[in-house]
Amino acid sequence: EVQLQASGGGSVQAGGSLRLSCAASGDTFEGYTVGWFRQGPGKEREGVSYLHSDGGTHYTVSAKGRFTISSDNAKNTVYLQMDSLKPEDTAVYYCAAGVGVIATMTGYEYDYWGQGAQVTVSS
């Protein structure tokens, strides 16, 4: 069973950048889809991006063109590089993993979740 540890959150001004990390232990990410989700204050959880173990990626509209998901297999870590951050990106960000190829971002297909990382973007 894989355990996930998210890190890299923080506070930044609008237009700035942050990189979130999701480190796996107990298993590798091989054969998993790894996704990033977020939940802003007073909002429902929403998907941000996912990465398949074969390298395929997907971004939701809010993330496309500004965020980049990537992995370092040697470190068993998936990253979310967030550029051109906006105040509306303020949220707790979660990484999650599900076995196999998951092509949705409802969240229900992801079995393993890390703790959240707070991202705060000020205007």
Side-chain angles (χ1 to χ4, degrees):
E1 180 174 313
V2 66
Q3 291 88 44
L4 306 178
Q5 178 77 34
S7 61
S11 297
V12 65
Q13 289 193 326
S17 299
L18 284 172
R19 188 178 76 161
L20 301 179
S21 300
C22 178
S25 61
D27 199 354
T28 69
F29 280 133
E30 180 67 30
Y32 287 88
T33 295
V34 180
W36 284 99
F37 297 79
R38 68 185 184 185
Q39 186 165 16
K43 298 181 181 179
E44 293 187 354
R45 184 184 67 197
E46 64 173 345
V48 176
S49 178
Y50 61 69
L51 173 69
H52 291 151
S53 61
D54 66 358
T57 60
H58 171 78
Y59 300 92
T60 56
V61 172
S62 62
K64 201 163 189 176
R66 300 187 300 125
F67 295 1
T68 304
I69 192 169
S70 63
S71 65
D72 184 333
N73 292 334
K75 295 183 178 179
N76 217 21
T77 299
V78 170
Y79 302 100
L80 184 69
Q81 176 68 40
M82 304 185 293
D83 299 317
S84 302
L85 283 162
K86 305 174 182 180
E88 51 263 43
D89 294 317
T90 294
V92 178
Y93 284 71
Y94 300 89
C95 64
V99 175
V101 178
I102 299 171
T104 67
M105 293 227 76
T106 63
Y108 299 110
E109 301 84 358
Y110 295 78
D111 297 316
Y112 308 100
W113 291 78
Q115 88 292 0
Q118 176 69 48
V119 171
T120 303
V121 184
S122 58
S123 58

